[in-house]
């Protein structure tokens, strides 16, 4: 029985627990065992089987008393960027090793209040900076997927939410939280054959989420299908007075509103996303996606987003600038690591602590950010980037005057091997070429599995929507999901 | 614009990151490669364009000027100090700053 239970997604668990088909304790027990068995994937930084069981017992009692909540009986993985009260939270960094928050992030708190349990804390790129999960201070996460070429190369699960994607894909969790700054939910979802949505900036509270780039960071769900994402997103979203950028608007009933019928809808295809050297398989996948949404009744419109090529350079000014400012708080005084060399003064303590506690990619981004914000360069770099960002936002506004959602590939390739790109930061950054523009514009965007490449690896399609139109995004993604018939899953080798 | 070793050292100082010679030297070409990529933005005509201030229109809220009794409020000194590497007498402790 237990092996079957880990095949179930969020909706199936919720419904099964409510109907009494199985108990929440059985579900939690099955996933706890899967987490233990999956240790070779290095997806989890902290395992909390006892918390999953405690929430399950509460759910089982709630069923008896008729007090079930939207996520009663659903155990989840929580990306280790979310502060969890009483459970170590490190953002996969050495500088936060041993940090046990005295508070709960709003998003994880909402999920638990909705009845969910926690299986553990998920590994990620250090401070969410990376696209492959090779920057964690606690070792790389390994994708459960393998190429079908007979080789045994370890593949990247994507990043930064790579522990989340690996865990959901490997059936160690029915769903997990992710965060997306430039594509950190969508690219790992695409690499591992699962679904994930970054909602409109401001939908999910950032309070208690370790900050990377505050004008971009947004939490979202990662799960096996579109419905499960809708259910989880409903529980995660909502106004929070503790986050000044939180939107004070009601949360729609996204699950109830799901419909894969796109009749009367216009789907835009941005011509600038046909980048140089795009692999033919990605071209073919995109065309397949176009055929799917047409079949669902949508009309295809070619649109132009002329500033697309400037999105990555804009991102690699704004995100490091905000990161250099946000990460100034790690000074060895209030929490985290302190490195105090003999006879060091306060300034030397700061510098030694930060040298010791931050990984290479984090230092690189802090250095870039410090440079572009420094006197003499601020206007040339940062102000110019914020102006180009305005133009990127305007491009999307003009496109959405002609269509309801946009359809693009999620990433320019399938998952690459661990180590294949880690020596070249620019090659790594290019992986986010399709996800970064919508992040800069704060738009809701989702990745949904579209098919497999020649090596048997998953490829994702991305839907980008108007501000606050998560429903339109979910529905277009559902139309693709219904037609793609994606049932591939990694073979268990761990 | 490109950075040299002296600039990297200066930035490391501003960023409060201790760095040995080898680390600083390795960063020179890496930062220049990234700066080379972002240089492209110079070719965009942004005359008359306002820098983006907020990605989704939202107004800044003010809260009542009272002590809140949650994790953002007062009365939780022990919780605030709990993760400090060194705390003494209810304060964060740091190396001596006054001789």
């Amino acid at each position: 029985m237990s092996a079957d239970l880990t095949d179930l997604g969020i909706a199936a668990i919720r419904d099964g627990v409510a109907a009494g088909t199985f108990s929440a304790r059985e579900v939690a027990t099955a996933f706890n065992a899967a987490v233990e068995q999956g240790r070779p994937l290095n997806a989890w930084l902290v395992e909390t089987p006892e918390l999953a069981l405690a929430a399950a017992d509460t759910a089982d009692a709630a069923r008896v008393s008729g007090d079930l909540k939207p996520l009663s009986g659903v155990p989840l993985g929580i990306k280790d960027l979310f502060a969890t009260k009483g459970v170590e939270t490190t953002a996969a960094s050495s500088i936060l090793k041993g940090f046990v928050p005295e508070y709960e992030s709003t998003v994880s708190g909402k999920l638990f209040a909705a009845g969910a349990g926690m299986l553990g804390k998920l590994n990620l790129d250090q401070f969410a900076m990376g696209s492959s999960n090779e920057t964690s201070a606690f070792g790389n996460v390994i994708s459960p997927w393998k190429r079908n070429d007979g080789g045994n190369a370890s593949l990247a699960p994507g990043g930064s939410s790579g522990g989340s994607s690996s865990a959901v894909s490997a059936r160690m969790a029915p769903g997990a939280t992710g965060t997306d700054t430039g594509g950190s939910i969508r690219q790992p979802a695409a690499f591992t054959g699962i679904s994930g949505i970054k909602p409109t900036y401001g939908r999910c509270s950032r309070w208690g989420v370790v900050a990377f780039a505050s004008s971009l960071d947004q939490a979202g769900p990662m799960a096996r299908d579109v419905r499960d994402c809708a259910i989880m997103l409903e529980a995660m979203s909502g106004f929070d007075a503790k986050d000044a950028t939180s939107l004070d608007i009601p949360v729609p009933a996204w699950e109830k509103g799901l419909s894969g019928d796109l009749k009367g809808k216009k789907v835009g295809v941005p011509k600038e996303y046909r980048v140089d050297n795009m692999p033919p398989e990605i071209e073919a996948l995109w065309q397949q996606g176009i055929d799917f949404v047409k079949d669902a009744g949508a009309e295809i419109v070619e649109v132009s987003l002329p500033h697309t090529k400037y999105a990555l350079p804009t991102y690699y000014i704004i995100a490091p600038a905000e990161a250099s400012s946000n990460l100034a708080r790690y000074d060895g005084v209030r929490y985290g690591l302190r490195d105090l060399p003999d006879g060091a003064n306060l300034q030397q303590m700061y510098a030694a602590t930060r040298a010791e506690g931050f990984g290479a990619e984090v230092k690189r981004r802090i250095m870039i950010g410090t440079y572009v914000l420094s006197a003499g360069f601020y206007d040339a770099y940062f102000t110019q980037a914020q102006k180009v960002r305005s133009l990127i936002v305007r491009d999307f506004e003009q496109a959405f005057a002609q269509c309801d959602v946009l359809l693009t590939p999620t990433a320019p390739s399938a998952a690459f091997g661990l180590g294949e790109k880690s020596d070249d930061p620019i090659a790594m950054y290019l992986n986010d070429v399709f996800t970064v523009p919508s992040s800069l514009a704060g738009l809701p965007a989702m990745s949904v599995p579209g098919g497999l490449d020649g090596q048997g690896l998953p490829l994702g399609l991305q839907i980008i929507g108007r501000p606050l139109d998560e429903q339109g995004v979910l529905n277009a993604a559902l139309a693709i999901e219904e037609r793609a018939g994606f049932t591939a899953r990694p073979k268990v080798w761990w | 614009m490109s950075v040299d070793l002296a600039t990297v050292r200066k930035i490391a100082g501003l960023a409060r990151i201790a760095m040995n010679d080898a680390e600083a030297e390795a960063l020179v070409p890496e930062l220049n490669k990234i700066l080379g990529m972002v240089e492209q933005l110079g070719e965009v005509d942004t005359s008359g364009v306002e820098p983006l201030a907020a990605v989704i229109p939202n107004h800044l809220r003010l809260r009542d000027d009272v002590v809140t009794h949650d994790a953002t409020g007062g009365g939780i000194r022990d919780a605030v100090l709990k993760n400090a590497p060194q705390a003494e007498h209810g304060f964060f402790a740091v190396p001596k700053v006054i001789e």
Side-chain angles (χ1 to χ4, degrees):
Chain A
M1 183 70 193
S2 65
D4 297 330
L5 287 176
T6 58
D7 277 343
L8 301 179
I10 291 168
I13 293 171
R14 173 195 66 186
D15 297 346
V17 166
T21 314
F22 41 76
S23 69
R25 179 164 261 270
E26 286 176 284
V27 174
T29 304
F31 278 105
N32 282 341
V35 168
E36 211 179 308
Q37 194 199 335
R39 282 178 191 157
L41 300 173
N42 201 30
W44 304 87
L45 294 177
V46 182
E47 296 172 11
T48 55
E50 67 294 344
L51 294 179
L53 289 174
D57 289 343
T58 303
D60 286 330
R63 192 180 88 83
V64 175
S65 62
D67 193 23
L68 285 168
K69 300 193 169 78
L71 289 174
S72 286
V74 180
L76 297 172
I78 303 293
K79 185 179 184 179
D80 199 32
L81 207 59
F82 294 84
T84 41
K85 189 172 183 177
V87 178
E88 189 183 23
T89 300
T90 64
S93 71
S94 296
I95 209 162
L96 275 175
K97 212 179 268 182
F99 174 63
V100 179
E102 289 288 305
Y103 51 89
E104 188 74 41
S105 82
T106 298
V107 161
S108 56
K110 275 176 171 288
L111 290 168
F112 301 148
M118 179 164 82
L119 292 160
K121 300 298 290 291
L122 290 157
N123 205 348
L124 64 150
D125 276 300
Q126 189 170 147
F127 285 107
M129 297 178 190
S131 307
S132 65
N133 255 267
E134 291 168 289
T135 70
S136 167
F138 303 97
N140 304 338
V141 178
I142 300 170
S143 171
W145 292 81
K146 296 278 188 197
R147 294 183 179 126
N148 62 10
D149 57 6
N152 198 31
S154 290
L155 301 180
S160 68
S161 308
S164 305
S165 66
S166 185
V168 173
S169 173
R171 268 72 184 164
M172 290 190 279
T177 59
T179 64
D180 194 311
T181 303
S184 281
I185 286 175
R186 292 161 281 161
Q187 181 254 21
F191 275 16
T192 57
I194 65 168
S195 298
I197 180 168
K198 176 197 92 72
T200 309
Y201 181 80
R203 271 285 190 207
C204 289
S205 170
R206 291 181 299 106
W207 195 81
V209 183
V210 175
F212 164 14
S214 302
S215 78
L216 296 154
D217 297 344
Q218 194 56 204
M222 300 170 75
R224 306 234 185 90
D225 62 25
V226 174
R227 176 173 300 273
D228 286 0
C229 284
I231 295 169
M232 226 179 123
L233 185 61
E234 269 182 58
M236 293 166 70
S237 300
F239 175 63
D240 180 10
K242 294 197 288 251
D243 174 359
T245 58
S246 173
L247 296 171
D248 192 0
I249 48 170
V251 177
W254 287 306
E255 187 195 10
K256 212 180 238 173
L258 283 178
S259 160
D261 181 358
L262 303 184
K263 267 197 272 310
K265 298 286 178 195
K266 289 184 178 167
V267 175
V269 174
K271 62 179 182 195
E272 289 81 5
Y273 277 53
R274 294 194 190 283
V275 295
D276 294 342
N277 306 322
M278 187 141 88
E281 285 177 317
I282 300 291
E283 287 270 9
L285 167 85
W286 198 2
Q287 186 55 51
Q288 180 82 79
I290 290 170
D291 294 341
F292 288 153
V293 295
K294 270 191 198 161
D295 183 63
E299 181 191 334
I300 300 294
V301 190
E302 181 169 280
V303 296
S304 175
L305 299 168
H307 295 90
T308 297
K309 71 176 272 209
Y310 300 109
L312 270 184
T314 301
Y315 179 82
Y316 278 99
I317 290 174
I318 290 170
E322 294 184 10
S324 70
S325 166
N326 272 327
L327 271 59
R329 74 189 68 187
Y330 302 100
D331 55 10
V333 174
R334 287 153 297 164
Y335 40 76
L337 180 81
R338 168 178 291 190
D339 188 0
L340 183 58
D342 273 349
N345 63 26
L346 188 62
Q347 297 292 337
Q348 287 159 340
M349 183 192 86
Y350 295 152
T353 297
R354 292 162 64 79
E356 174 73 19
F358 290 139
E361 179 63 22
V362 174
K363 285 183 199 171
R364 194 183 284 143
R365 295 200 195 190
I366 291 174
M367 292 285 288
I368 286 284
T370 304
Y371 181 71
V372 301
L373 291 177
S374 64
F377 299 108
Y378 187 93
D379 279 333
Y381 286 111
F382 189 71
T383 306
Q384 176 72 357
Q386 290 288 49
K387 287 180 177 175
V388 177
R389 191 175 180 184
S390 290
L391 294 172
I392 290 167
V393 170
R394 191 187 296 171
D395 282 356
F396 279 111
E397 284 167 1
Q398 287 168 353
F400 284 126
Q402 302 168 60
C403 63
D404 298 288
V405 291
L406 299 167
L407 170 66
T408 80
T410 306
S413 71
F416 47 85
L418 288 169
E420 278 177 18
K421 288 182 198 277
S422 47
D423 292 339
D424 184 356
I426 305 274
M428 189 69 86
Y429 297 170
L430 283 171
N431 219 262
D432 299 328
V433 63
F434 298 138
T435 51
V436 157
S438 41
S439 291
L440 287 168
L443 303 170
M446 177 161 204
S447 181
V448 63
L452 297 173
D453 77 349
Q455 297 184 306
L457 298 180
L459 298 171
L461 284 163
Q462 177 178 229
I463 300 288
I464 303 168
R466 294 189 180 106
L468 305 178
D469 187 24
E470 284 81 4
Q471 191 74 65
V473 172
L474 290 161
N475 287 354
L478 182 66
I480 291 171
E481 179 182 273
E482 286 171 349
R483 285 160 185 82
F486 187 89
T487 54
R489 52 187 288 182
K491 284 196 195 73
V492 178
W493 52 265
W494 54 92
Chain B
M1 280 171 273
S2 65
V3 297
D4 54 17
L5 188 59
T7 313
V8 168
R9 288 195 184 292
K10 187 178 158 224
I11 306 166
L14 291 171
R16 305 281 186 271
I17 298 175
M19 217 171 264
N20 63 33
D21 291 346
E23 289 167 323
E25 275 164 27
L27 267 171
V28 172
E30 283 182 16
L31 296 193
N32 278 327
K33 218 170 157 184
I34 297 167
L35 289 171
M37 176 186 79
V38 303
E39 262 344 86
Q40 287 178 61
L41 292 189
E43 66 191 53
V44 185
D45 179 6
T46 53
S47 46
V49 177
E50 283 296 309
L52 184 128
V55 67
I56 299 291
N58 199 359
H59 64 279
L60 207 55
R61 298 176 299 271
L62 297 176
R63 69 169 172 83
D64 295 335
D65 186 15
V66 292
V67 175
T68 54
H69 290 280
D70 63 15
T72 61
I76 51 166
R77 188 181 72 180
D78 290 346
V80 169
L81 291 174
K82 187 107 184 239
N83 279 287
Q86 201 189 343
E88 283 169 23
H89 318 298
F91 297 99
F92 294 108
V94 296
K96 197 158 72 171
V97 288
I98 301 168
E99 293 303 325

